[in-house]
Amino acid sequence: SAVISQKPSRDICQRGTSLTIQCQVDSQVTMMFWYRQQPGQSLTLIATANQGSEATYESGFVIDKFPISRPNLTFSTLTVSNMSPEDSSIYLCSVQTTGGGGEQYFGPGTRLTVT
Amino acid sequence: EDKVVQSPLSLVVHEGDTVTLNCSYEVTNFRSLLWYKQEKKAPTFLFMLTSSGIEKKSGRLSSILDKKELFSILNITATQTGDSAVYLCAVGSSGNTPLVFGKGTRLSVIA
């Protein structure tokens, strides 16, 4: 398994501002993902964070709104830019272990409220 | 397009009851099926299933996979209020691809 930490654990932000969420893993992992979970909904994949290259975004998510960095194999950041109340969600970092069946483990999440 | 469907969407039971949660899937190049429990923010890993007919068990929880019929069940016996959570089913395909998640089953166990 992997131990994942996220910062901040929660934040309340004003409309129009940006927030950067950090994800740190205790071991090197190839695959890191960012998910969003809006209230009462299931997990939605935002993007795959690729080390050394641009992130791969899912349909409906764009780099200008959710820029992602992945400077090495243990760290990634997700920025939520120009926030609106619709961005209020839990944001989750996830990593996939290599080998085996490809288990994914999740960080503790960041609860974001935009006012 | 890969798809995971869970049922029921929500369930209310009394302590001591046994519940069965269902997960059906359609995925190209199936690799594994995973169950997670989500109480507050982060899903926690419960089981990973890769082979048909082999039951995975952890305490009062157990799960089994049927790769022919493309479904899995998660059983919880003698439920407790601490079992109240959203249970998520996810399917992985071969290669470095993220899991595909179902919408989850919200289980409420009342005393």
Side-chain angles (χ1 to χ4, degrees):
Chain A
S1 65
V3 178
I4 308 166
S5 60
Q6 270 185 248
K7 287 195 297 188
S9 61
R10 59 174 60 220
D11 208 341
I12 301 172
C13 300
Q14 299 240 349
R15 178 196 300 260
T17 62
S18 298
L19 175 73
T20 295
I21 303 167
Q22 298 179 8
C23 176
Q24 180 76 53
V25 190
D26 69 339
S27 58
Q28 293 187 341
V29 292
T30 305
M31 306 301 292
M32 290 181 79
F33 308 103
W34 286 98
Y35 287 84
R36 179 172 78 178
Q37 187 172 33
Q38 295 179 302
Q41 304 295 313
S42 189
L43 301 171
T44 301
L45 181 65
I46 298 172
T48 301
N50 302 308
Q51 194 266 330
S53 64
E54 199 169 279
T56 304
Y57 289 85
E58 297 299 303
S59 175
F61 297 96
V62 295
I63 188 171
D64 289 347
K65 175 68 176 176
F66 297 101
I68 288 170
S69 79
R70 178 92 193 268
N72 56 53
L73 292 176
T74 63
F75 185 78
S76 178
T77 67
L78 168 75
T79 299
V80 186
S81 303
N82 188 24
M83 288 184 282
S84 66
E86 292 71 36
D87 294 320
S88 298
S89 281
I90 296 172
Y91 290 86
L92 292 153
C93 169
S94 177
V95 303
Q96 188 174 82
T97 57
T98 54
E103 302 98 294
Q104 272 184 232
Y105 297 92
F106 287 84
T110 297
R111 188 183 296 274
L112 171 62
T113 302
V114 184
T115 60
Chain B
E1 182 181 334
D2 297 345
K3 191 165 67 172
V4 177
V5 178
Q6 291 186 245
S7 64
L9 290 181
S10 66
L11 190 56
V12 180
V13 301
H14 288 93
E15 270 192 318
D17 288 351
T18 293
V19 298
T20 298
L21 309 183
N22 304 296
C23 176
S24 64
Y25 63 90
E26 295 174 24
V27 66
T28 308
N29 299 321
F30 175 87
R31 182 183 188 187
S32 57
L33 184 145
L34 296 87
W35 285 96
Y36 291 85
K37 178 182 182 183
Q38 186 177 27
E39 292 177 89
K40 291 183 180 174
K41 285 195 294 188
T44 53
F45 174 78
L46 293 175
F47 298 113
M48 184 179 72
L49 302 148
T50 56
S51 302
S52 276
I54 298 175
E55 186 182 54
K56 291 277 182 100
K57 200 169 169 64
S58 176
R60 296 176 294 102
L61 276 66
S62 63
S63 183
I64 198 161
L65 173 67
D66 186 328
K67 289 167 74 173
K68 184 179 173 188
E69 299 297 331
L70 308 182
F71 80 91
S72 173
I73 60 172
L74 175 68
N75 278 320
I76 309 175
T77 59
T79 51
Q80 303 170 357
T81 54
D83 296 325
S84 296
V86 174
Y87 290 84
L88 295 166
C89 174
V91 175
S93 53
S94 55
N96 292 330
T97 55
L99 298 175
V100 177
F101 282 85
K103 293 188 185 300
T105 294
R106 181 175 296 277
L107 174 64
S108 300
V109 182
I110 54 178

